[in-house]
């Protein structure tokens, strides 16, 4: 007789500080017989490192190895990972799939979700995303009152970034990395350079917060962000 | 001799499910001698209700009573609340100020932060914001790959909402409440009605998720949101 299929939990583990795990994430990841997480082709998984102290000896671990390269990884990577997770689910095992930040906010989880949704019971546990973590780290409000917020990936074209930024009250430009020089050009052209903060590795011990204009182009990791407020700081009388 | 001033912690307590509290939020709110939170003029505080089981008997509680009305509350409300918090801080007491969702994502906390920043040590503890909680509740990715996300308050003008929506890959319209009919008009005009989901009281026991077009205009609470994806569902081959 076939087992009742297991459930897949897409678990946001937050931006990096292990204490920014939610109580629900902690409960579910400790209870699952199988814990899966994205990892580079070689080396350690960032998502796993966030919860490392909570993992139990008896849990089976599945590293979903994703090559780091410009552009999207091949669909075959996700096809194979989805198949491996499906095998566990078909055995009746619940799987906790760890996602740095939030599962549905630019997560590679989304590619696995797209392949498994409808076939299995999937529950998403939201996590603290990078944008609110960066705002907290920088002690700067993300968005308030009647402001609209634009979240813009640095990967899109310069013209498109300029257009979106030009219309925003407040903006977060995510995935800076090698796109940093492009973003600096756009901010300078729009005269927004002095309204921009740079945040790197928010909530980790080596976190860095700096005026955007102070940052050296050569050393910008993928996990970095710019926060821009058109009106500058929040006023007391707002 | 004057006491060393206390620290103010702006603590995100998440969207409503008490289990979506972070470990850090829990540690800090239990350790603080004073716990403050926004509350309506009469009745209970939503932020307090989220953490009610964790509050200790000996903690002093300060309810910051904010009238519910269209438009902004008077600045005097925040001035008085900031003064009350400052009194505690001047006594050397740490204050845990609870914020539903995330403190820097449309939080009333921002008005108190603006009044106390620079005078006291303030630490922000980011929380799970409503946008990621609603995406999880609706089992729909918020934003992926090279998409930009627009977060739009329903309180702004119809023309401005239409303009921002018209240019968005993905959007969250927050603070629906009495603005619901206006948002429905805009979505219909842009032919986005079938791409919109409605989420109310995400992560609470009375959570509701529905196609936007199924929702009855007359019963829309402030804590509701529309999520819109221009491309519709995420495709497996993306």
């Amino acid at each position: 007789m076939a087992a009742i299929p297991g459930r897949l939990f897409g678990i946001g583990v937050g931006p990096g500080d292990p204490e920014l795990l939610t109580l629900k994430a902690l409960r579910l990841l400790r209870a699952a017989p199988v814990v899966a997480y994205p990892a580079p082709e070689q080396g350690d998984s960032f998502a796993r490192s966030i919860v490392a102290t909570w993992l139990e000896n008896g849990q089976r671990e599945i590293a979903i190895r994703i090559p780091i390269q410009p552009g999207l990884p091949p669909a075959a990577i996700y096809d194979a990972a989805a198949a491996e997770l499906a095998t566990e689910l078909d055995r009746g095992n619940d799987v906790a799939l760890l996602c740095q930040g939030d599962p549905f906010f630019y997560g590679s989880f989304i590619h696995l979700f797209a392949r498994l949704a409808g076939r299995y019971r999937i529950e998403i546990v939201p996590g603290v995303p990078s944008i609110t973590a960066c705002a907290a780290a920088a002690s700067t409000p993300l968005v308030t009152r009647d402001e609209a917020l634009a979240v813009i990936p640095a990967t899109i074209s310069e013209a498109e970034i300029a257009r979106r930024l030009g219309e925003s009250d407040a903006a977060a430009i995510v995935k800076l990395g090698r796109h940093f020089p492009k973003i600096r050009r756009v901010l300078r052209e729009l005269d927004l350079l002095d309204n921009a903060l740079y945040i790197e590795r928010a909530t980790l011990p080596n976190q860095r917060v700096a005026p955007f204009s102070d940052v050296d182009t050569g050393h910008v990791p993928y996990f970095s962000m710019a926060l821009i407020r058109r009106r500058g700081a929040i006023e007391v009388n707002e």
Side-chain angles (χ1 to χ4, degrees), chain A residues 15 20 105 128-144 147 149-151 170-174 195-204 207-210 223-229 232-234:
Chain A
L20 291 176
F105 187 78
V128 175
S130 52
I131 46 170
T132 63
C134 283
S139 283
T140 192
L142 196 58
V143 67
T144 182
E147 294 175 343
L149 172 72
V151 183
I173 304 181
V174 299
N195 298 50
L197 284 172
Y198 170 86
I199 304 102
E200 171 184 311
R201 299 189 177 88
T203 81
L204 290 172
Q207 164 185 301
R208 182 184 175 200
V209 177
F223 285 118
S224 59
M225 184 181 300
L227 292 180
I228 299 119
R229 292 190 58 78
I234 303 287

Side-chain angles (χ1 to χ4, degrees), chain A residues 152-163 179 182-183 186:
Chain A
I152 305 169
T155 51
I156 63 178
S157 77
E158 194 160 338
E160 185 68 8
I161 293 168
R163 189 177 65 73
H179 301 281
K182 174 173 74 178
I183 302 306
V186 175

